[in-house]
Amino acid sequence: MICHQCDFAGCINPAHMQLGTNTTNRVEYLARRRNLASPLADVRGTAARIRAVAAAIRYGLANHEDSVSIEGRIRAAEVDGVPLAL
């Protein structure tokens, strides 16, 4: 099977894909899910995480914020979805 190495559900980058088994894919997925820096750790799910980040970007652009402020807003949106403990 094709195993995906990044946690962005919409990614189609061939460099992020490798051949593997269902077992290795599941083990890697669970390891990434335990990593709080991974989008998979977001309690809202990856689709909701993407929507939250997009909303942060749209809000910043609508309010003419600079890129540093928008990035801070994105980081805050990401942190909001990270559980305190897994």
Side-chain angles (χ1 to χ4, degrees):
M1 78 179 304
I2 295 177
C3 302
H4 206 269
Q5 296 176 311
C6 93
D7 299 325
F8 175 59
C11 178
I12 57 170
N13 184 343
H16 293 176
M17 299 174 197
Q18 67 181 11
L19 291 177
T21 66
N22 189 36
T23 301
T24 58
N25 192 43
R26 188 72 179 152
V27 168
E28 290 173 0
Y29 168 83
L30 292 172
R32 287 192 307 270
R33 190 166 176 91
R34 286 189 292 274
N35 176 1
L36 291 180
S38 169
L40 292 175
D42 196 315
V43 295
R44 297 169 295 198
T46 54
R49 174 188 178 271
I50 292 167
R51 285 191 297 272
V53 170
I57 293 169
R58 281 193 298 273
Y59 182 88
L61 292 174
N63 289 293
H64 308 289
E65 292 181 357
D66 62 3
S67 61
V68 173
S69 298
I70 293 173
E71 186 171 344
R73 192 174 295 287
I74 292 169
R75 297 284 175 236
E78 289 176 331
V79 170
D80 285 344
V82 176
L84 297 176
L86 293 176

